[in-house]
Amino acid sequence: KSPNRPLNVRVMSNNYVYVRAPPPLIWVPAIVIRRDVSNDSINDSNNVKTVVEFQSNSANEDSPYYEGKQMTIEHNNYPSNQLPLQNINATTSNPLILNDLISLPYLNEPSILTNLSLRHKEEKPYTMCGEIVLAFNPYKRLPIYTEEVQSACNSKYIFNPSSTSSPPPPPPS
């Protein structure tokens, strides 16, 4: 666990969150307008409700359907009765797009899916998850492999079976 990663964050007004939506979207970004404090009880966290306004989602073209609409969300439909928080760049208010998922401040399912989707749209097929490399097929040729890189990989890993070193890292993003 990252020492900088908040664990149980209470959702407040103006927090950027994700809300479950019907397929094919699954998760839609939203901003918290207010919490329904009449149902907010320390003893009964299943009654917590939050009013959110949906935002546009650059990771999914279908999200404008939701944009600008408000909805009351019941927390009992979410893990630990918490709405997943978005990873937002504080200066631009845009989603953070990082090359290592471990570096995401809020590591949750919608944040991971959004990060991978945005990197795919930027034609960055390689994303790290700690020491693991996730590779997504871009379904087209990308100019990230020069003849020089291909030749180095061929000579070191393909035509040299006695090599015991690890494979090369992905190209920089």
Side-chain angles (χ1 to χ4, degrees):
K1 293 181 181 177
S2 168
N4 298 327
R5 185 169 293 132
L7 293 177
N8 194 3
V9 178
R10 183 181 168 97
V11 174
M12 304 298 284
S13 292
N14 297 321
N15 277 141
Y16 292 89
V17 296
Y18 289 102
V19 176
R20 285 202 176 119
L25 290 182
I26 309 301
W27 295 103
V28 179
I31 188 165
V32 173
I33 303 299
R34 71 180 181 279
R35 287 174 60 94
D36 185 349
V37 290
S38 63
N39 290 328
D40 191 0
S41 163
I42 294 172
N43 297 327
D44 189 9
S45 61
N46 291 333
N47 279 338
V48 177
K49 294 181 182 179
T50 300
V51 177
V52 299
E53 182 174 306
F54 293 107
Q55 303 172 282
S56 65
N57 181 356
S58 54
N60 192 309
E61 294 83 17
D62 295 329
S63 68
Y65 170 78
Y66 294 96
E67 187 175 356
K69 294 182 180 180
Q70 289 189 5
M71 180 182 245
T72 300
I73 306 298
E74 294 185 16
H75 289 227
N76 61 346
N77 296 325
Y78 293 86
S80 304
N81 295 322
Q82 295 286 328
L83 297 177
L85 293 170
Q86 294 182 49
N87 295 294
I88 298 292
N89 182 324
T91 57
T92 65
S93 295
N94 292 326
L96 282 177
I97 304 172
L98 302 175
N99 64 351
D100 192 342
L101 297 175
I102 298 296
S103 301
L104 291 172
Y106 303 110
L107 192 57
N108 52 53
E109 177 187 345
S111 292
I112 291 170
L113 294 173
T114 298
N115 193 72
L116 293 172
S117 177
L118 292 172
R119 287 182 58 77
H120 186 268
K121 284 184 182 219
E122 291 182 353
E123 298 184 346
K124 297 177 179 176
Y126 300 104
T127 303
M128 300 297 294
C129 185
E131 295 181 6
I132 299 169
V133 177
L134 302 174
F136 287 87
N137 187 344
Y139 299 106
K140 62 181 173 181
R141 287 202 176 274
L142 298 178
I144 58 176
Y145 296 114
T146 63
E147 290 292 326
E148 201 174 273
V149 171
Q150 290 177 10
S151 177
C153 287
N154 285 342
S155 64
K156 185 168 185 178
Y157 300 104
I158 297 173
F159 299 113
N160 187 1
S162 64
S163 174
T164 58
S165 58
S166 58
S173 12

